[in-house]
Coordinates of all heavy atoms in Angstrom, one line a residue:
I77 N -1.4 2.8 33.7 CA -2.2 3.7 32.9 C -3.7 3.5 33.1 O -4.5 4.4 33.4 CB -1.9 3.8 31.5 CG1 -0.4 4.3 31.3 CG2 -2.7 4.8 30.7 CD1 0.0 4.1 29.9
V78 N -4.0 2.1 33.0 CA -5.5 1.8 33.2 C -5.9 2.1 34.6 O -6.9 2.7 34.9 CB -5.6 0.2 32.9 CG1 -7.0 -0.2 33.3 CG2 -5.4 0.0 31.4
K79 N -5.1 1.8 35.6 CA -5.5 2.0 37.0 C -5.5 3.4 37.3 O -6.5 3.9 38.0 CB -4.5 1.3 37.9 CG -4.6 -0.3 37.9 CD -3.5 -0.9 38.8 CE -3.6 -2.3 38.7 NZ -2.5 -3.0 39.5
F80 N -4.6 4.2 36.8 CA -4.5 5.7 37.0 C -5.8 6.3 36.4 O -6.5 7.1 36.9 CB -3.3 6.3 36.4 CG -3.2 7.7 36.3 CD1 -2.8 8.6 37.3 CD2 -3.7 8.3 35.0 CE1 -2.9 9.9 37.2 CE2 -3.7 9.7 34.9 CZ -3.3 10.6 36.0
S81 N -6.1 5.8 35.1 CA -7.3 6.4 34.5 C -8.5 6.1 35.3 O -9.5 7.0 35.3 CB -7.4 5.9 33.1 OG -6.3 6.2 32.4
N82 N -8.7 4.9 35.7 CA -9.9 4.4 36.5 C -10.0 5.3 37.8 O -11.1 5.7 38.2 CB -9.8 2.9 36.8 CG -10.1 2.1 35.5 OD1 -10.5 2.6 34.6 ND2 -9.6 0.9 35.7
N83 N -8.9 5.4 38.5 CA -8.9 6.2 39.8 C -9.3 7.6 39.6 O -9.9 8.3 40.5 CB -7.5 6.1 40.4 CG -7.3 4.7 41.0 OD1 -8.2 3.9 41.1 ND2 -5.9 4.3 41.1
H84 N -8.8 8.2 38.4 CA -9.2 9.7 38.2 C -10.4 9.9 37.2 O -10.5 11.0 36.9 CB -7.9 10.3 37.7 CG -6.8 10.4 38.6 ND1 -5.9 9.3 39.0 CD2 -6.4 11.5 39.5 CE1 -5.1 9.7 39.9 NE2 -5.4 10.8 40.2
K85 N -11.0 8.8 36.9 CA -12.3 8.9 36.0 C -11.9 9.6 34.7 O -12.5 10.3 34.2 CB -13.5 9.5 36.6 CG -13.9 8.8 37.9 CD -15.1 9.5 38.5 CE -15.8 8.6 39.6 NZ -14.9 8.2 40.6
I86 N -10.9 9.1 34.2 CA -10.2 9.6 32.8 C -10.6 8.7 31.8 O -10.3 7.4 32.1 CB -8.8 9.9 33.0 CG1 -8.5 11.1 33.8 CG2 -8.2 10.2 31.5 CD1 -7.1 11.3 34.1
F87 N -11.2 8.9 30.7 CA -11.5 8.1 29.6 C -10.3 7.8 28.7 O -9.7 8.8 28.3 CB -12.6 8.7 28.7 CG -13.0 7.7 27.5 CD1 -13.3 6.6 27.7 CD2 -13.1 8.4 26.3 CE1 -13.6 5.7 26.7 CE2 -13.4 7.6 25.2 CZ -13.6 6.2 25.4
F88 N -9.9 6.5 28.6 CA -8.8 6.2 27.8 C -9.1 5.2 26.6 O -10.2 4.6 26.7 CB -7.6 5.5 28.7 CG -8.1 4.1 29.1 CD1 -7.7 3.0 28.4 CD2 -8.7 3.9 30.4 CE1 -8.1 1.7 28.8 CE2 -8.9 2.7 30.8 CZ -8.8 1.5 30.0
S89 N -8.3 5.2 25.7 CA -8.5 4.2 24.6 C -7.1 3.7 24.2 O -6.1 4.1 24.6 CB -9.2 4.9 23.4 OG -8.5 6.0 22.9
V90 N -7.1 2.8 23.2 CA -5.9 2.0 22.9 C -5.8 2.0 21.3 O -6.7 1.9 20.6 CB -5.9 0.6 23.3 CG1 -4.6 -0.1 23.0 CG2 -6.2 0.5 24.8
K91 N -4.5 2.3 20.9 CA -4.2 2.2 19.5 C -3.1 1.3 19.3 O -2.2 1.2 20.0 CB -3.7 3.7 18.9 CG -3.5 3.6 17.3 CD -2.9 5.0 17.1 CE -2.6 5.1 15.5 NZ -1.9 3.8 15.0
G92 N -3.3 0.3 18.3 CA -2.3 -0.6 17.9 C -1.2 0.0 17.1 O -1.0 1.2 17.0
G93 N -0.5 -0.9 16.3 CA 0.7 -0.3 15.6 C 0.4 0.1 14.1 O 1.3 0.3 13.4
A94 N -1.0 0.1 13.7 CA -1.1 0.3 12.2 C -2.4 1.0 12.2 O -2.6 2.2 12.6 CB -1.2 -1.0 11.5
H95 N -3.5 0.4 11.5 CA -4.7 1.1 11.1 C -5.8 1.3 12.2 O -6.9 1.7 12.1 CB -5.5 0.3 10.0 CG -4.6 0.2 8.8 ND1 -5.1 -0.5 7.6 CD2 -3.4 0.6 8.4 CE1 -4.2 -0.5 6.7 NE2 -3.1 0.2 7.1
T96 N -5.5 0.7 13.4 CA -6.5 0.7 14.4 C -7.0 2.0 14.7 O -6.4 3.0 14.8 CB -5.8 0.2 15.8 OG1 -5.0 -1.0 15.5 CG2 -6.8 -0.1 16.9
D97 N -8.4 2.1 14.7 CA -9.1 3.3 15.1 C -8.6 3.7 16.5 O -8.9 3.0 17.5 CB -10.5 2.9 15.1 CG -11.6 4.2 15.4 OD1 -11.0 5.2 15.7 OD2 -12.7 4.1 15.0
P98 N -8.1 5.0 16.6 CA -7.5 5.3 18.0 C -8.5 5.9 18.9 O -8.0 6.2 19.9 CB -6.5 6.5 17.5 CG -7.1 7.0 16.3 CD -7.8 5.9 15.5
A99 N -9.7 6.0 18.5 CA -10.7 6.6 19.4 C -10.3 7.8 20.0 O -10.1 8.1 21.2 CB -11.1 5.5 20.5
T100 N -10.1 8.8 19.1 CA -9.4 10.0 19.5 C -10.1 10.9 20.4 O -9.5 12.0 20.8 CB -9.0 10.8 18.2 OG1 -10.0 11.0 17.4 CG2 -7.9 10.1 17.4

Side-chain angles (χ1 to χ4, degrees):
I77 296 168
V78 172
K79 292 176 180 178
F80 169 84
S81 299
N82 291 344
N83 291 338
H84 293 81
K85 294 181 171 56
I86 293 173
F87 177 49
F88 69 88
S89 58
V90 184
K91 183 184 183 302
H95 299 177
T96 311
D97 185 345
T100 53

